[in-house]
Amino acid sequence: QKEVEQDPGPLSVPEGAIVSLNCTYSNSAFQYFMWYRQYSRKGPELLMYTYSSGNKEDGRFTAQVDKSSKYISLFIRDSQPSDSATYLCAMSAGSGYSTLTFGKGTMLLVSP
Amino acid sequence: GAVVSQHPSWVICKSGTSVKIECRSLDFQATTMFWYRQFPKQSLMLMATSNEGSKATYEQGVEKDKFLINHASLTLSTLTVTSAHPEDSSFYICSASHARQEGVDTQYFGPGTRLTVL
């Protein structure tokens, strides 16, 4: 079993839809959870950062972490064509020097 | 804030030559810098981690003599692909780690460098 599992998609939705992106993980030591957005041929851009379990909201984006289920989610409300990108989840175990473990990424396509 | 740049953004070279890629943190001092490699439709593969003034730590399977990393300052790290071959063609991305208020380093990524070896 891989440490982080993420459905590669593509996930196609119409503009305005609510999008749900998910990752599962196996390492119970993970405490820090991030979502990155990567446009084609570009570096990943940090979208959301969450520590431990709970929800965090930033504009149209909501990140959820359920450590008991080892499951994290990113919700995008009122999706826009400009949200079309690959979304990578990432997680790490500790503070200070920290190595991130990435999911493979989910490609999202939002059609006008 | 937390901007990371990479240069060049793309490079084409002949087999057997060496290529240097620069990674800079523009508006913060990076305690640690990371180098990744990404193949099409694949996730990021960590190649090595470097701290300023010390030797890089390479991931298993990454040849340290082929991928030379120099971390000269808190804002600059370089990756040199020596004697490049076509199989080294890939998208190379660096990231810089920035200590957050919570005490956790979060990585900010550069835009990537696409290397094509002919």
Side-chain angles (χ1 to χ4, degrees):
Chain A
Q1 183 186 11
K2 292 182 180 177
E3 272 199 302
V4 179
E5 299 273 5
Q6 187 176 10
D7 187 333
L11 175 62
S12 296
V13 301
E15 183 175 356
I18 296 175
V19 174
S20 172
L21 303 166
N22 312 294
C23 288
T24 59
Y25 63 95
S26 58
N27 188 346
S28 58
F30 288 143
Q31 297 187 74
Y32 302 92
F33 305 91
M34 297 114 194
W35 285 95
Y36 287 87
R37 177 175 63 195
Q38 186 176 23
Y39 292 111
S40 180
R41 297 175 181 257
K42 299 290 184 184
E45 169 195 10
L46 179 66
L47 275 181
M48 300 287 285
Y49 162 83
T50 312
Y51 169 68
S52 194
S53 287
N55 293 0
K56 188 172 185 178
E57 188 174 321
D58 184 1
R60 296 185 295 113
F61 299 91
T62 300
Q64 283 187 352
V65 174
D66 182 349
K67 289 189 68 181
S68 62
S69 301
K70 297 189 179 67
Y71 187 87
I72 70 171
S73 301
L74 177 70
F75 297 96
I76 306 174
R77 291 183 297 280
D78 187 25
S79 56
Q80 303 294 310
S82 58
D83 294 328
S84 298
T86 296
Y87 290 79
L88 297 151
C89 64
M91 44 200 81
S92 71
S95 61
Y97 158 63
S98 54
T99 300
L100 294 179
T101 301
F102 284 88
K104 279 196 170 182
T106 299
M107 180 183 291
L108 172 66
L109 302 172
V110 182
S111 54
Chain B
V3 179
V4 177
S5 70
Q6 264 182 260
H7 178 80
S9 56
W10 59 270
V11 57
I12 301 173
C13 69
K14 292 182 178 180
S15 185
T17 60
S18 294
V19 174
K20 180 185 282 188
I21 303 170
E22 288 188 352
C23 177
R24 293 180 185 272
S25 56
L26 298 184
D27 52 0
F28 67 99
Q29 292 188 325
T31 51
T32 307
M33 287 186 166
F34 304 82
W35 287 95
Y36 293 85
R37 186 172 179 176
Q38 187 176 35
F39 292 103
K41 298 186 179 181
Q42 296 294 316
S43 190
L44 298 158
M45 184 191 80
L46 179 65
M47 297 174 67
T49 303
S50 71
N51 293 290
E52 182 261 342
S54 61
K55 289 185 178 180
T57 301
Y58 290 81
E59 294 300 298
Q60 191 173 12
V62 178
E63 299 174 60
K64 62 180 181 182
D65 294 330
K66 181 169 186 61
F67 298 99
L68 300 178
I69 292 173
N70 183 278
H71 195 153
S73 73
L74 285 171
T75 60
L76 173 64
S77 177
T78 60
L79 168 67
T80 301
V81 183
T82 62
S83 186
H85 291 283
E87 58 265 30
D88 298 324
S89 299
S90 189
F91 193 50
Y92 292 87
I93 309 175
C94 73
S95 71
S97 194
H98 176 43
R100 297 178 64 89
Q101 188 174 4
E102 297 89 344
V104 175
D105 293 350
T106 296
Q107 295 181 32
Y108 295 89
F109 287 83
T113 296
R114 184 159 301 281
L115 170 64
T116 301
V117 184
L118 302 176

